PDB file of all heavy atoms in Angstrom:
ATOM      1  N   SER K  43      40.169 157.546 113.771  1.00 98.00           N
ATOM      2  CA  SER K  43      40.974 158.256 114.881  1.00 98.00           C
ATOM      3  C   SER K  43      41.325 157.196 115.836  1.00 98.00           C
ATOM      4  O   SER K  43      40.511 156.707 116.604  1.00 98.00           O
ATOM      5  CB  SER K  43      40.152 159.259 115.427  1.00 98.00           C
ATOM      6  OG  SER K  43      40.831 160.014 116.412  1.00 98.00           O
ATOM      7  N   ASP K  45      42.468 156.531 118.828  1.00 98.00           N
ATOM      8  CA  ASP K  45      42.755 156.911 120.125  1.00 98.00           C
ATOM      9  C   ASP K  45      42.975 155.892 121.219  1.00 98.00           C
ATOM     10  O   ASP K  45      42.074 155.783 122.029  1.00 98.00           O
ATOM     11  CB  ASP K  45      41.682 158.118 120.582  1.00 98.00           C
ATOM     12  CG  ASP K  45      41.680 159.080 119.420  1.00 98.00           C
ATOM     13  OD1 ASP K  45      42.629 159.473 118.841  1.00 98.00           O
ATOM     14  OD2 ASP K  45      40.574 159.727 119.279  1.00 98.00           O
ATOM     15  N   LYS K  67      44.475 158.267 111.788  1.00 99.00           N
ATOM     16  CA  LYS K  67      44.976 159.424 112.678  1.00 99.00           C
ATOM     17  C   LYS K  67      45.366 158.904 114.099  1.00 99.00           C
ATOM     18  O   LYS K  67      44.715 158.119 114.596  1.00 99.00           O
ATOM     19  CB  LYS K  67      43.745 160.372 112.808  1.00 99.00           C
ATOM     20  CG  LYS K  67      44.057 161.577 113.544  1.00 99.00           C
ATOM     21  CD  LYS K  67      42.840 162.598 113.601  1.00 99.00           C
ATOM     22  CE  LYS K  67      41.881 162.434 114.682  1.00 99.00           C
ATOM     23  NZ  LYS K  67      42.500 162.525 116.050  1.00 99.00           N
ATOM     24  N   HIS K  69      47.135 159.979 118.086  1.00 98.00           N
ATOM     25  CA  HIS K  69      47.556 160.811 119.147  1.00 98.00           C
ATOM     26  C   HIS K  69      48.867 160.072 119.716  1.00 98.00           C
ATOM     27  O   HIS K  69      48.618 159.415 120.759  1.00 98.00           O
ATOM     28  CB  HIS K  69      46.562 161.242 120.157  1.00 98.00           C
ATOM     29  CG  HIS K  69      45.469 162.143 119.626  1.00 98.00           C
ATOM     30  ND1 HIS K  69      45.869 163.484 119.362  1.00 98.00           N
ATOM     31  CD2 HIS K  69      44.174 162.085 119.522  1.00 98.00           C
ATOM     32  CE1 HIS K  69      44.751 164.193 119.042  1.00 98.00           C
ATOM     33  NE2 HIS K  69      43.733 163.356 119.182  1.00 98.00           N
ATOM     34  N   LYS K 100      48.410 169.069 116.480  1.00 98.00           N
ATOM     35  CA  LYS K 100      47.814 170.474 116.705  1.00 98.00           C
ATOM     36  C   LYS K 100      48.979 171.297 117.262  1.00 98.00           C
ATOM     37  O   LYS K 100      48.917 171.862 118.352  1.00 98.00           O
ATOM     38  CB  LYS K 100      46.662 170.478 117.681  1.00 98.00           C
ATOM     39  CG  LYS K 100      45.502 169.543 117.232  1.00 98.00           C
ATOM     40  CD  LYS K 100      44.500 169.756 118.272  1.00 98.00           C
ATOM     41  CE  LYS K 100      43.202 168.846 117.783  1.00 98.00           C
ATOM     42  NZ  LYS K 100      43.301 167.457 118.023  1.00 98.00           N
ATOM     43  N   LEU K 247      44.105 173.979 111.212  1.00 98.00           N
ATOM     44  CA  LEU K 247      42.855 173.866 111.996  1.00 98.00           C
ATOM     45  C   LEU K 247      41.997 175.144 111.687  1.00 98.00           C
ATOM     46  O   LEU K 247      42.290 176.209 112.328  1.00 98.00           O
ATOM     47  CB  LEU K 247      43.195 173.670 113.496  1.00 98.00           C
ATOM     48  CG  LEU K 247      43.733 172.340 113.793  1.00 98.00           C
ATOM     49  CD1 LEU K 247      45.005 172.442 114.586  1.00 98.00           C
ATOM     50  CD2 LEU K 247      42.669 171.436 114.416  1.00 98.00           C
ATOM     51  N   MET K 250      36.847 173.700 114.693  1.00 96.00           N
ATOM     52  CA  MET K 250      36.797 172.476 115.515  1.00 96.00           C
ATOM     53  C   MET K 250      35.301 171.962 115.610  1.00 96.00           C
ATOM     54  O   MET K 250      34.434 172.599 115.116  1.00 96.00           O
ATOM     55  CB  MET K 250      37.461 172.885 116.856  1.00 96.00           C
ATOM     56  CG  MET K 250      38.881 173.117 116.699  1.00 96.00           C
ATOM     57  SD  MET K 250      39.682 173.110 118.367  1.00 96.00           S
ATOM     58  CE  MET K 250      39.610 171.410 118.732  1.00 96.00           C
ATOM     59  N   SER K 251      35.298 170.724 116.156  1.00 95.00           N
ATOM     60  CA  SER K 251      33.970 170.103 116.322  1.00 95.00           C
ATOM     61  C   SER K 251      33.324 170.436 117.604  1.00 95.00           C
ATOM     62  O   SER K 251      32.110 170.194 117.892  1.00 95.00           O
ATOM     63  CB  SER K 251      34.073 168.644 116.097  1.00 95.00           C
ATOM     64  OG  SER K 251      34.949 168.140 117.029  1.00 95.00           O
ATOM     65  N   PRO K 298      36.507 165.948 111.949  1.00 98.00           N
ATOM     66  CA  PRO K 298      36.279 165.059 113.111  1.00 98.00           C
ATOM     67  C   PRO K 298      34.821 165.420 113.588  1.00 98.00           C
ATOM     68  O   PRO K 298      34.156 166.325 113.132  1.00 98.00           O
ATOM     69  CB  PRO K 298      37.270 165.445 114.112  1.00 98.00           C
ATOM     70  CG  PRO K 298      37.644 166.905 113.756  1.00 98.00           C
ATOM     71  CD  PRO K 298      37.409 167.137 112.275  1.00 98.00           C
ATOM     72  N   GLN K 319      32.261 167.414 122.944  1.00 95.00           N
ATOM     73  CA  GLN K 319      32.188 166.921 121.523  1.00 95.00           C
ATOM     74  C   GLN K 319      30.834 166.928 120.979  1.00 95.00           C
ATOM     75  O   GLN K 319      29.837 166.574 121.578  1.00 95.00           O
ATOM     76  CB  GLN K 319      32.800 165.449 121.504  1.00 95.00           C
ATOM     77  CG  GLN K 319      32.809 164.865 120.195  1.00 95.00           C
ATOM     78  CD  GLN K 319      33.780 165.490 119.216  1.00 95.00           C
ATOM     79  OE1 GLN K 319      33.749 166.659 118.852  1.00 95.00           O
ATOM     80  NE2 GLN K 319      34.900 164.769 118.733  1.00 95.00           N
ATOM     81  N   TYR K 321      28.685 165.636 117.484  1.00 97.00           N
ATOM     82  CA  TYR K 321      28.763 164.778 116.323  1.00 97.00           C
ATOM     83  C   TYR K 321      27.782 165.093 115.221  1.00 97.00           C
ATOM     84  O   TYR K 321      26.602 165.535 115.476  1.00 97.00           O
ATOM     85  CB  TYR K 321      28.410 163.437 116.787  1.00 97.00           C
ATOM     86  CG  TYR K 321      29.622 162.731 117.628  1.00 97.00           C
ATOM     87  CD1 TYR K 321      29.391 162.393 118.933  1.00 97.00           C
ATOM     88  CD2 TYR K 321      30.848 162.504 117.057  1.00 97.00           C
ATOM     89  CE1 TYR K 321      30.399 161.948 119.688  1.00 97.00           C
ATOM     90  CE2 TYR K 321      31.818 162.070 117.876  1.00 97.00           C
ATOM     91  CZ  TYR K 321      31.634 161.717 119.246  1.00 97.00           C
ATOM     92  OH  TYR K 321      32.609 161.221 120.006  1.00 97.00           O
ATOM     93  N   GLY K 339      36.379 158.221 115.592  1.00 98.00           N
ATOM     94  CA  GLY K 339      37.083 157.603 116.657  1.00 98.00           C
ATOM     95  C   GLY K 339      36.252 156.605 117.439  1.00 98.00           C
ATOM     96  O   GLY K 339      35.967 155.427 116.997  1.00 98.00           O
ATOM     97  N   ARG K 340      35.570 156.986 118.548  1.00 98.00           N
ATOM     98  CA  ARG K 340      34.803 156.192 119.348  1.00 98.00           C
ATOM     99  C   ARG K 340      33.685 155.460 118.632  1.00 98.00           C
ATOM    100  O   ARG K 340      33.359 154.281 119.077  1.00 98.00           O
ATOM    101  CB  ARG K 340      34.243 156.919 120.541  1.00 98.00           C
ATOM    102  CG  ARG K 340      35.385 157.176 121.580  1.00 98.00           C
ATOM    103  CD  ARG K 340      34.987 158.273 122.571  1.00 98.00           C
ATOM    104  NE  ARG K 340      35.052 159.611 122.060  1.00 98.00           N
ATOM    105  CZ  ARG K 340      34.696 160.754 122.654  1.00 98.00           C
ATOM    106  NH1 ARG K 340      34.314 160.632 123.853  1.00 98.00           N
ATOM    107  NH2 ARG K 340      34.770 161.948 122.065  1.00 98.00           N
TER     108      ARG K 340
HETATM  109  P1  5BU M   1      35.791 160.726 118.594  1.00 68.52           P
HETATM  110  O1  5BU M   1      35.989 159.634 119.384  1.00 68.52           O
HETATM  111  O2  5BU M   1      35.171 160.293 117.113  1.00 68.52           O
HETATM  112  O3  5BU M   1      34.925 161.808 119.147  1.00 68.52           O
HETATM  113  O4  5BU M   1      37.256 161.228 118.271  1.00 68.52           O
HETATM  114  C1  5BU M   1      37.497 162.448 117.596  1.00 68.52           C
HETATM  115  C2  5BU M   1      38.953 162.638 117.369  1.00 68.52           C
HETATM  116  O5  5BU M   1      39.175 163.779 116.548  1.00 68.52           O
HETATM  117  C3  5BU M   1      39.896 162.851 118.659  1.00 68.52           C
HETATM  118  O6  5BU M   1      41.036 162.265 118.458  1.00 68.52           O
HETATM  119  C4  5BU M   1      39.948 164.406 118.738  1.00 68.52           C
HETATM  120  O7  5BU M   1      41.147 164.698 119.370  1.00 68.52           O
HETATM  121  C5  5BU M   1      39.977 164.749 117.286  1.00 68.52           C
HETATM  122  N1  5BU M   1      39.386 166.085 116.965  1.00 68.52           N
HETATM  123  C6  5BU M   1      37.970 166.376 117.294  1.00 68.52           C
HETATM  124  O8  5BU M   1      37.316 165.531 117.776  1.00 68.52           O
HETATM  125  N2  5BU M   1      37.521 167.698 116.984  1.00 68.52           N
HETATM  126  C7  5BU M   1      38.291 168.644 116.521  1.00 68.52           C
HETATM  127  O9  5BU M   1      37.813 169.671 116.181  1.00 68.52           O
HETATM  128  C8  5BU M   1      39.703 168.302 116.286  1.00 68.52           C
HETATM  129  C9  5BU M   1      40.176 166.955 116.482  1.00 68.52           C
HETATM  130 BR1  5BU M   1      40.719 169.548 115.519  1.00 68.52          BR
END
Side-chain angles (χ1 to χ4, degrees):
S43 183
D45 300 332
K67 183 174 87 62
H69 280 300
K100 301 186 181 74
L247 286 133
M250 292 192 71
S251 60
Q319 177 67 299
Y321 291 115
R340 285 164 286 179

